[in-house]
Amino acid sequence: MARDVDIDPRGRALDCDVIVIGGGVNGVGVARDASLRGLKVALFERNDIAFGASGNSSGMIHGGPRYLSYDPAVTQSSCLDSGHIQRIAPHLLFRIPFLMPIFGSSSLKSKVTLTAIDAFFDLYDAYQPLKAGKNHVRLNADEITQLEPGLVGGAAGGITFDEWGIDGARLCIGNAVDARERGAEIRVHCTVTEILRREDGSVYGVRFRDRQSGETGERTARVVINATGAWAPITTSLGGLTADAARIRPGKGIHVFLDRRLTNYAIIAHAIDGRQVFLLPWQNMSVLGTTDDDYYGDLDHVVASTDEVNYLFQAVEHVFPAVRSARAIGTWGGVRPTLYEWGPNEDQLSREHQVVDHRQHGADGLYSMIGGKLASYRLFAEEMTDVIAKRLGNAEKPRSHVSPLPGGDEQVDPMQLVVQGGMEAVTATRLEYRHGGRSLRVLERMLQKPREAAVICSCEPVTEAEIRYVIEQEFARDVADVARRTRLGLGACGGMRCALRCGRIVADATGRSPQVGQQLALEFLAQGARTRSAAVGSTQARQEALALSALQAEIGSGSRDS
Ligand SMILES: Cc1cc2nc3c(=O)[nH]c(=O)nc-3n(C[C@H](O)[C@H](O)[C@H](O)COP(=O)(O)OP(=O)(O)OC[C@H]3O[C@@H](n4cnc5c(N)ncnc54)[C@H](O)[C@@H]3O)c2cc1C
């Protein structure tokens, strides 16, 4: 006979073992780990996979030398997990050598500072083997100028150290796809609107609403996991708990990206308030990041302000004036779901993670995942899955650290894509970076339907075959989703040259009308204009707004005519 915990209040068997709310890196990480252990999982994401902090982070899977001084456990777990992530997703990695110049008014002071920093990095070096990193190197003034001639201010020397970067959005997509292939149900653009509870307060499922189709329904499970990052307190309130039950201290962080690569090293600079910021080479662009400010705004619309952009430029320009020679073409921003603490400055807050069991709040069966880092997401997900596996009597061993993510199991030489698919070398290299071994599946599409070899976004570049692939295989439902997976429309033109074509493809591939496709393109461009305006400046922002209005009017009159 079924126990009470295995049935809903109407006596029906529960649909699955685990419901995950939130498709950020922690949510998809748990969905994957639980699916790998044979548990039946359903995941609901209100926007798109990686819409929140996970798709808007700096993408460093590092130990964070900064944390070593006040949170060494975070450095340890992040380095350890970085090593695991590198093994399961080797195609998504890129190496980031950092330069930390040391300036000083007196040669004695700068010598002492340099010696202290050198000693500090000796400690950090101890963690490098965990993440396949190289030891730091101390540099004198000549060496640092040779490595980066654009530095000004008379650096007395410095150090260089080794980190790894990853495309956070693609990391999330990989986890979600893997979970689906192991049986999980993944629903995007689908909001959990209520957490369902029995009379005794225990949790048995969720009510949801599909934001695109309007469909509503219920899904029931033995355990519900709140993995909604900065939304976590709002989510617990959907089950009638107070926001304090999953308390966080949300911190907004933004990045500005420039139209070209300015350096081969990431350069650490100090902002006017002494905070560390950086200039990072990222593929064919440069990125300035990042801010960290307490945030009280709308989590679904996080947009960089002109002040934040100026703050980053001012900091980097102070040591690297050539930063002004490039064009700022956009921004991205997210909200860190940092553990709650009253008092410390934002960047002194712990980056630790925590599993909250809401049995203590009378909601048995509900758990929240709070805090954490992209760099240690897999470990956090494993810890969460250990808890639910124990509860559900599942004794399978964790495998998420050894089982490759989709595309991570096979190496593809981009030249193969060039020769067989007739792609430009840059198209092939970027395709292989994003999809690893699965780039061969995109190639296969092109060989079967040569018209899909057409390059739709020339800035990135992205082909029609890749767009159709991410729609069919990676849950993309609109133009912004395609951009998150492929970087379409994120180049200098902001999508003005490709959004409409992409919208038509999305509409066609999802069985919607061309008019809907145009609408999806306009929504993407309007959202892009909001995130670009602080970077491109008021004159260009006004011109873009005019161009967008003209396009809207043209499309509006076209659809009236048709
Ligand atoms: C600017 C910035 C830079 C960072 N840089 C780094 C870095 O370099 N390295 C590093 O390790 N970490 C970094 N981090 C931290 C890291 O990104 C986060 O800790 C991590 O991504 C949090 O993941 P998450 O899954 O908890 O939350 P999120 O990624 O925010 O995901 C939460 C998801 O829940 C969804 N959701 C909310 N409500 C509902 C609902 N009712 N129903 C369904 N879905 C819902 C949201 O749409 C969202 O997609 C950075 C963070 C920021 C903001």
Side-chain angles (χ1 to χ4, degrees), residues 24-26 45-47 53-54 57-58 60 192 231 372-375:
V25 77
N26 291 324
E45 165 52 53
R46 150 181 180 73
N47 296 290
S54 307
S57 80
S58 312
M60 280 185 235
V192 165
W231 288 260
K373 289 182 63 60
L374 195 76

Side-chain angles (χ1 to χ4, degrees), residues 33-45:
D33 195 327
S35 304
L36 273 162
R37 298 192 209 191
L39 295 171
K40 192 168 177 211
V41 178
L43 179 143
F44 294 86
E45 165 52 53

Side-chain angles (χ1 to χ4, degrees), residues 285-305:
M285 313 184 309
S286 300
V287 176
L288 274 58
T290 170
T291 57
D292 192 350
D293 295 300
D294 286 313
Y295 185 66
Y296 304 92
D298 180 351
L299 294 167
D300 283 319
H301 298 99
V302 181
V303 176
S305 70

